[in-house]
Amino acid sequence: MGIIPISLSTSSEPADKIFLEGPRSRFAEFFTLLRAMRDFLRGFRTLHFVGPCVTVFGSERVTPADPAPARDVGADLIAIR
């Protein structure tokens, strides 16, 4: 069984801007849900073949001159292994 490529995008606007515009139709919200599910599935399928792993997420904005806290945490996690 092949995968049929389907574009679930209803607009070329960034998702954040669309989300902040306010309520939308149930149909549009349903496709937003499908896009989110697609992204999760792609991530899980990719990580399935990696094996046991840890992902460190961060939202801190740093410049190249600043220390990289996520890298420090990652290095600490590798040392624990």
Side-chain angles (χ1 to χ4, degrees):
M1 183 171 147
I3 297 175
I4 301 170
I6 298 175
S7 175
L8 299 177
S9 178
T10 58
S11 173
S12 61
E13 292 185 76
D16 292 343
K17 184 176 180 183
I18 294 170
F19 179 74
L20 294 174
E21 286 178 352
R24 299 180 310 151
S25 71
R26 289 183 180 172
F27 187 74
E29 294 294 345
F30 178 70
F31 278 105
T32 300
L33 172 65
L34 290 180
R35 281 194 303 274
M37 288 173 50
R38 177 195 62 194
D39 292 343
F40 272 107
L41 284 174
R42 284 180 178 169
F44 286 131
R45 289 178 71 193
T46 299
L47 292 176
H48 172 77
F49 298 103
V50 173
C53 61
V54 173
T55 303
V56 179
F57 291 96
S59 62
E60 186 175 351
R61 305 284 191 250
V62 295
T63 63
D66 292 336
R71 289 185 186 177
D72 295 340
V73 170
D76 291 344
L77 289 173
I78 290 173
I80 293 171
R81 185 176 74 152

